[in-house]
Amino acid sequence: MLKNIGAHFVIIGHSENREQGESDKLINLKIKSALEAKLKVIFCIGESLSEKRKKKTRSILSKQIKIGLKNIKNKSNIFLAYEPVWAIGSGLIPKPQDLFETVEFIKSKFKDKLPKVLYGGSVNSQNITILREINNIDGFLLIRRPPRSTRKESSAASDVYKRQNKYMYFVANWKMYGNLSSLNTLDKVIKFSKSKEIKGGRLIYCPPNTL
């Protein structure tokens, strides 16, 4: 359905879905289904605050990658999005050196062609200048359509990354759009993705459980 309407990307493994019981094995099945439908996948991974405090970040990421991408040989249409759960919506971001090392670790899990690794988690116009200096990050993920008061900030963020030749994705959060199973609502999301409000970026629908 998503492909027929005009969607090109789908986000799988987002923390909100994981919190609702989406397992790594189910994520693996969803990724395979999306690839078979010729959709590009943004595969979200990330550790919780308790896991971070217990210094389990790398073991958690390894497990998510290993199971989530099991038996998937062609990964050319898969982007990884590192989204530490503790950073989402908190206004906090990892220390630059920590973030650089984590992204390096993620890329080290792939022997052949390195995947594009995006960062998501409290990305805004205040921390953009810091984040763009981390040169192993390939792009950024902004979750949800920005409210009116922050659209200028998001536009500024988009312009910065556009100049850096990096990917910028604005994601329509399902909680904000309600039931996106309807074709009419999905069509509105896709039309919004083509609007001037997100110049320099792309908008993707993040479904609760569609694949």
Side-chain angles (χ1 to χ4, degrees), residues 179-196:
N179 181 11
L180 282 170
S181 297
S182 89
L183 299 183
N184 288 337
T185 311
L186 265 174
D187 186 55
K188 290 179 183 177
V189 172
I190 291 170
K191 285 180 179 177
F192 175 73
S193 73
K194 298 176 181 178
S195 73
K196 294 180 181 179

Side-chain angles (χ1 to χ4, degrees), residues 81-84 87-88 94 118-123 139-143:
Y82 173 53
E83 291 194 297
I88 298 174
L118 315 177
Y119 171 74
S122 295
V123 178
F140 300 84
L141 201 60
L142 293 183
I143 303 298

Side-chain angles (χ1 to χ4, degrees), residues 16 142-148 150-151 171-180 185 189 192 205-206 208:
E16 289 181 355
L142 293 183
I143 303 298
R144 74 176 57 90
R145 170 181 174 173
R148 292 183 182 277
T150 63
R151 278 186 190 158
V171 181
N173 188 298
W174 65 274
K175 287 185 176 179
M176 295 190 174
Y177 282 91
N179 181 11
L180 282 170
T185 311
V189 172
F192 175 73
Y205 166 47
C206 179

Side-chain angles (χ1 to χ4, degrees), residues 7-204:
H8 299 288
F9 292 78
V10 63
I11 288 184
I12 299 176
H14 191 267
S15 61
E16 289 181 355
N17 292 349
R18 290 180 185 271
E19 289 171 1
Q20 297 299 317
E22 188 176 67
S23 67
D24 291 317
K25 289 183 179 180
L26 178 56
I27 287 169
N28 177 250
L29 294 175
K30 287 186 175 187
I31 292 175
K32 290 176 179 176
S33 177
L35 294 175
E36 288 175 3
K38 308 300 182 184
L39 287 165
K40 293 183 179 180
V41 172
I42 294 184
F43 172 34
C44 294
I45 58 175
E47 81 284 7
S48 67
L49 182 59
S50 63
E51 290 164 344
K52 172 181 168 60
R53 287 174 173 170
K54 293 175 182 177
K55 301 187 183 302
K56 290 186 176 181
T57 296
R58 293 194 174 191
S59 62
I60 293 298
L61 297 181
S62 292
K63 177 175 175 286
Q64 291 173 341
I65 293 170
K66 181 178 180 179
I67 300 176
L69 300 181
K70 186 176 181 180
N71 295 328
I72 299 176
K73 294 182 179 180
N74 186 354
K75 303 178 181 66
S76 60
N77 285 324
I78 298 175
F79 294 67
L80 274 80
Y82 173 53
E83 291 194 297
V85 180
W86 54 271
I88 298 174
S90 68
L92 303 173
I93 60 173
K95 294 178 181 178
Q97 186 60 33
D98 291 344
L99 185 49
F100 175 85
E101 291 176 359
T102 299
V103 172
E104 283 294 288
F105 173 75
I106 292 170
K107 291 187 175 184
S108 74
K109 307 304 290 183
F110 298 85
K111 297 179 181 179
D112 301 320
K113 184 179 178 181
L114 296 181
K116 296 288 186 183
V117 177
L118 315 177
Y119 171 74
S122 295
V123 178
N124 57 47
S125 60
Q126 281 73 46
N127 58 36
I128 235 175
T129 54
I130 297 172
L131 290 169
R132 71 172 180 169
E133 296 300 322
I134 304 173
N135 59 22
N136 61 351
I137 296 177
D138 299 300
F140 300 84
L141 201 60
L142 293 183
I143 303 298
R144 74 176 57 90
R145 170 181 174 173
R148 292 183 182 277
S149 60
T150 63
R151 278 186 190 158
K152 288 184 179 179
E153 290 187 358
S154 296
S155 178
S158 176
D159 288 343
V160 169
Y161 295 125
K162 189 176 181 182
R163 288 197 299 271
Q164 294 294 313
N165 195 29
K166 293 188 176 183
Y167 294 89
M168 169 67 88
Y169 296 93
F170 289 83
V171 181
N173 188 298
W174 65 274
K175 287 185 176 179
M176 295 190 174
Y177 282 91
N179 181 11
L180 282 170
S181 297
S182 89
L183 299 183
N184 288 337
T185 311
L186 265 174
D187 186 55
K188 290 179 183 177
V189 172
I190 291 170
K191 285 180 179 177
F192 175 73
S193 73
K194 298 176 181 178
S195 73
K196 294 180 181 179
E197 292 170 347
I198 58 168
K199 179 181 63 176
R202 306 181 187 185
L203 183 136
I204 307 157

